[in-house]
Amino acid sequence: MGIPENIEEIREKITNAAKACGRSVQEITLVGVTKTVDTASIIEAVNCGIATVGENKAQELCEKYDTLAGLCKIHFIGHLQTNKVKYVIDKVDMIESVDSLRLAQEIDVRAGAINRSMDILAEVNIGKERSKHGVLEEDLEDFLKNMSKLSNVKIRGLMTVLPVESSFTEHGRSFFERMYQLFIDIRSKKKDNINMDFLSMGMTNDYETAIEYGANIVRIGTGIFGRRNY
Ligand SMILES: *Cc1c(COP(=O)(O)O)cnc(C)c1O
């Protein structure tokens, strides 16, 4: 199947998953994950209505930026080294993967220098994996509180990547459920500059389940573009 058919099928599944839990499909953003994907394929996806793409490497994003600029929104979704912030700060609409205060502080400084504020999500390591980035849930509220003091960083919600092996399992469900609980708990506290507008979770293997648990950003790569060639 080609990119248009893949997108159509995913949209249908998102619609059905949203309906099944009484949610509106309009509130769910499909981010096309374009890491390793060539620009011709990205343009094809954008022409099929993909309005936001996700990239996970600063250098790759910079290489593709001339093609993508103005075509679609760009979310940064990978681990961002502090020294790379300066390369992406003027190119992305959101950094979904903020996983340390040091990174948030650098985003604050670099955003301020170009007179903008940056929308960010806090990445949560919900599976407590040593190999993964993201803050642990027990540290999340302190992390958000510290970030909320940064004037050029706008906290918009939470993001997570589940442990690979937990897709399709009850474990995966419990992680999604836990994320949703954190999301609504924090939202209900209504703290200054801690907005819980977006819950970004769910990838090719588990986005329908994520929607069941309140995801309103799903990040899909393989399902749209096929297997990645690294
Ligand atoms: C690669 C990636 C995705 C997409 O994964 P697929 O399984 O290909 O849909 C989503 N989120 C992040 C952070 C990624 O790095």
Side-chain angles (χ1 to χ4, degrees):
M1 278 205 311
I3 290 168
E5 293 80 12
N6 290 343
I7 292 173
E8 196 174 334
E9 184 184 324
I10 290 164
R11 286 219 184 280
E12 198 173 300
K13 287 186 177 167
I14 289 175
T15 304
N16 291 337
K19 271 193 195 143
C21 54
R23 299 181 57 201
S24 155
V25 68
Q26 272 88 323
E27 72 182 58
I28 298 166
T29 300
L30 167 57
V31 171
V33 175
T34 50
K35 60 191 186 202
T36 79
V37 175
D38 60 85
T39 49
S41 301
I42 299 175
I43 290 169
E44 194 180 358
V46 170
N47 288 337
C48 296
I50 296 294
T52 309
V53 301
E55 285 282 345
N56 72 336
K57 292 211 163 62
Q59 189 181 340
E60 187 178 342
L61 166 60
C62 291
E63 284 164 11
K64 290 172 176 172
Y65 182 69
D66 280 347
T67 313
L68 300 180
L71 268 192
C72 54
K73 291 191 174 173
I74 304 173
H75 286 193
F76 198 87
I77 61 169
H79 177 61
L80 182 57
Q81 286 170 284
T82 311
N83 63 355
K84 302 276 173 69
V85 172
K86 58 179 177 287
Y87 302 121
V88 305
I89 195 74
D90 59 339
K91 299 181 179 66
V92 302
D93 298 281
M94 183 184 279
I95 300 174
E96 293 198 17
S97 42
V98 177
D99 54 9
S100 74
L101 187 59
R102 212 166 72 86
L103 173 61
Q105 285 164 335
E106 176 67 8
I107 293 169
D108 182 51
V109 169
R110 296 287 174 179
I114 58 167
N115 257 315
R116 68 171 292 181
S117 68
M118 180 56 74
D119 282 354
I120 66 104
L121 305 181
E123 180 171 356
V124 183
N125 183 355
I126 197 70
K128 294 186 162 53
E129 292 174 284
R130 277 178 200 281
S131 60
K132 273 228 172 71
H133 296 283
V135 298
L136 298 176
E137 59 186 292
E138 51 269 35
D139 301 328
L140 180 60
E141 289 212 34
D142 276 345
F143 178 54
L144 292 170
K145 192 170 147 219
N146 288 327
M147 278 202 297
S148 72
K149 296 168 188 153
L150 304 171
S151 49
N152 307 306
V153 166
K154 243 186 131 199
I155 301 170
R156 302 297 304 273
L158 305 179
M159 178 271 215
T160 197
V161 180
L162 294 200
V164 174
E165 70 284 358
S166 68
S167 278
F168 301 120
T169 67
E170 282 309 309
H171 225 136
R173 283 185 177 270
S174 73
F175 287 140
F176 284 143
E177 190 174 13
R178 187 76 202 123
M179 284 298 298
Y180 183 65
Q181 202 59 51
L182 290 167
F183 181 73
I184 56 171
D185 281 354
I186 295 163
R187 190 170 61 186
S188 70
K189 290 180 183 161
K190 294 193 197 312
K191 294 268 167 58
D192 275 355
N193 192 25
I194 303 183
N195 298 297
M196 289 290 125
D197 303 318
F198 298 111
L199 179 57
S200 176
M201 57 186 193
M203 318 198 323
T204 297
N205 284 335
D206 54 16
Y207 65 94
E208 291 161 282
T209 313
I211 289 169
E212 207 182 307
Y213 290 95
N216 57 11
I217 296 179
V218 292
R219 309 177 309 265
I220 302 183
T222 313
I224 295 175
F225 299 103
R227 293 264 307 268
R228 284 179 288 274
N229 294 311
Y230 285 99

